[in-house]
Amino acid sequence: MAQALHTDATGAIAEEARSSGFASAISSRIVILIPYLWLFVFFLVPFAIVFKISLSATTIAMPPYLPSFEMADGLSGWIAKLGELSFENYLWLVDDTLYFNAYVSSVVIAGISTVLALLVGYPLAYGMARAPASLRMLLLMLVILPFWTSFLIRVYAWIGILKPEGLLNQFLLWIGVIDTPLQIMNTHTAIFIGIVYSYLPFMVLPLYASLEKMDFSLIEAAQDLGCPPTTAFWKITFPLSLPGVVAGSLLVFIPAVGEFVIPDLLGGSQTLMIGKTLWTEFFSNRDWPVASAVAIILLLLLVVPMMFFQRAQARAQEQGR
């Protein structure tokens, strides 16, 4: 009798363990599925729609393009039309140097802005990480505070600061530093200022997260062993903060490449960036297929190098282990 009860209890425990393991496996797969579902709905589907428009022909209609594929065609109709696809819009981008120059100019401006944001953001993040614990939340709040104001209003505020009769020139004239107003508006300098100011929190926050977790006793140990502060920074602090540097640089560089508002308002009409080119093609020329082709190439130029970089980082971490 006792043996039978023991057998039943053992079976019940095993059954409960199996059901618990099954539920755990299901929940873990659901957790993994959610990000993939998010990427599918908000990245792959819009990408497919834009790619479909880029293969279309321009026409005078609403919307102003003639679709290559129609939902009514079905899968068989789509397969039949694969041989008829035209990449004329992409060939047009290759033939016209305007788009190539816009891509190059956007990458250069975004790269310089990212370096400037890093030079400004790193000391801020380092100071926040070394500040007393009671002050860190206040400093973090001050960094995040500009997000509570409209992005457009913040950019317009810089017009009032940088224009010839603006606050900056008036202040410099008042203290006697300059005799005539500086021409900052409608220049690349104004674009750099606007991008660095607007995206600086995206640089500071990842850097702060990396530096705040760092063991600063390593710096003290290096100094006790006779290591100069500059050498200790480059040998210890900066390598340990590299994940934050990479994350912050990507968060600044990627949106800066496709930026439209800042170059349009602060850079003037002569500024050549791919975001302004996209706006012109979509809303002025109403050439949606060409604009979609420009957007697809821009996305590939940003995503493909990022994928290779992340893969190289993953391999480096595996080799380090």
Side-chain angles (χ1 to χ4, degrees):
M1 181 69 176
Q3 185 176 2
L5 290 174
H6 177 72
T7 302
D8 292 341
T10 303
I13 293 173
E15 183 65 26
E16 183 178 355
R18 283 195 297 269
S19 61
S20 176
F22 179 76
S24 177
I26 291 296
S27 60
S28 63
R29 292 189 178 185
I30 291 176
V31 170
I32 295 174
L33 180 63
I34 290 175
Y36 283 103
L37 183 62
W38 178 275
L39 286 175
F40 176 78
V41 173
F42 294 103
F43 179 78
L44 290 179
V45 172
F47 179 85
I49 294 173
V50 175
F51 182 67
K52 172 194 169 190
I53 296 175
S54 70
L55 299 176
S56 304
T58 305
T59 185
I60 302 177
M62 182 57 68
Y65 64 91
L66 187 62
S68 301
F69 299 100
E70 295 285 356
M71 293 297 296
D73 295 338
L75 182 60
S76 59
W78 295 354
I79 296 175
K81 288 184 177 181
L82 287 178
E84 304 175 4
L85 292 180
S86 173
F87 292 89
E88 182 180 352
N89 296 318
Y90 293 92
L91 297 176
W92 170 265
L93 301 184
V94 176
D95 293 336
D96 196 337
T97 58
L98 170 68
Y99 302 101
F100 177 79
N101 294 334
Y103 283 121
V104 173
S105 177
S106 298
V107 170
V108 170
I109 291 175
I112 295 175
S113 301
T114 302
V115 173
L116 293 175
L118 179 61
L119 293 176
V120 175
Y122 202 102
L124 285 175
Y126 187 83
M128 291 167 58
R130 296 302 300 265
S134 58
L135 291 177
R136 290 179 187 174
M137 289 305 298
L138 176 61
L139 296 175
L140 194 62
M141 180 65 69
L142 292 176
V143 172
I144 301 174
L145 195 61
F147 283 120
W148 294 2
T149 308
S150 169
F151 174 77
L152 193 60
I153 292 176
R154 286 185 280 133
V155 176
Y156 268 112
W158 276 106
I159 297 177
I161 296 173
L162 299 177
K163 63 184 181 179
E165 63 276 12
L167 296 177
L168 178 60
N169 278 310
Q170 293 299 320
F171 176 73
L172 294 177
L173 289 170
W174 178 63
I175 63 177
V177 175
I178 58 175
D179 296 326
T180 57
L182 300 174
Q183 182 58 45
I184 303 177
M185 277 294 298
N186 300 328
T187 64
H188 280 52
T189 302
I191 298 176
F192 295 144
I193 292 173
I195 292 178
V196 170
Y197 167 76
S198 300
Y199 295 108
L200 187 62
F202 294 110
M203 179 66 76
V204 172
L205 295 179
L207 286 171
Y208 171 75
S210 293
L211 292 169
E212 196 267 340
K213 294 183 294 184
M214 195 182 82
D215 186 3
F216 287 99
S217 62
L218 297 173
I219 306 297
E220 298 175 1
Q223 292 175 351
D224 292 340
L225 294 173
C227 183
T230 305
T231 305
F233 172 80
W234 290 111
K235 293 287 186 179
I236 300 173
T237 305
F238 190 76
L240 292 177
S241 64
L242 271 179
V245 172
V246 173
S249 299
L250 290 176
L251 288 174
V252 173
F253 178 79
I254 292 174
V257 171
E259 181 59 54
F260 162 72
V261 175
I262 294 174
D264 187 58
L265 295 180
L266 301 182
S269 59
Q270 300 301 319
T271 303
L272 183 62
M273 288 190 71
I274 201 64
K276 291 188 65 177
T277 305
L278 273 172
W279 175 272
T280 302
E281 293 293 348
F282 265 114
F283 297 101
S284 298
N285 300 341
R286 295 187 59 79
D287 195 343
W288 288 21
V290 169
S292 299
V294 172
I296 291 293
I297 293 179
L298 176 62
L299 184 62
L300 293 178
L301 288 176
L302 293 176
V303 171
V304 173
M306 273 181 50
M307 291 175 60
F308 282 108
F309 177 76
Q310 289 182 344
R311 186 173 297 180
Q313 264 198 328
R315 289 178 181 174
Q317 289 179 354
E318 290 178 358
Q319 292 175 357
R321 294 174 184 174

